[in-house]
Amino acid sequence: MRADCYICHRPIDYELKAPHPYSFVVDETIALARGGTLTHDNSGPAHRWCNAIKGTHSLAWARERVAQLITQGKAPQRAAQVSAGPIRCSDWFGGGE
């Protein structure tokens, strides 16, 4: 589908990989913590950064907050290089380091 971010309405570069702040993630419009469901009609494409700002807030709140941060120059730079660092297996899965 290659849709734009439904929070900030800007294009998503689907070639970027996590943890880049502008990489693609699926956001639950109504957060699971607030009673949302893992369904197509409760989700939308988002930038990782926009999704992190939204958290469990409403979509309307997130759109306003992201717009404020962009206007204030507090959004991450799109060309920023992000280093993921070494990948460590979680102890929760019994893998240790």
Side-chain angles (χ1 to χ4, degrees), residues 5 7-8 21-22 46-55 62 66 70:
C5 175
I7 298 172
C8 72
Y22 292 107
H47 295 116
R48 180 171 296 281
W49 179 75
C50 295
N51 178 267
I53 298 299
K54 181 177 175 283
V66 166
I70 290 170

Side-chain angles (χ1 to χ4, degrees), residues 30-45:
I30 300 172
L32 299 177
R34 302 258 187 236
T37 57
L38 287 174
T39 57
H40 185 266
D41 62 341
N42 186 47
S43 63

Side-chain angles (χ1 to χ4, degrees), residues 3 16 19 22 30 45 47-48 57 62 64 69 75 83 89 91-92:
L16 294 174
Y22 292 107
I30 300 172
H47 295 116
R48 180 171 296 281
H57 295 285
E64 184 176 322
L69 292 170
S83 172
C89 186
D91 291 334
W92 188 76

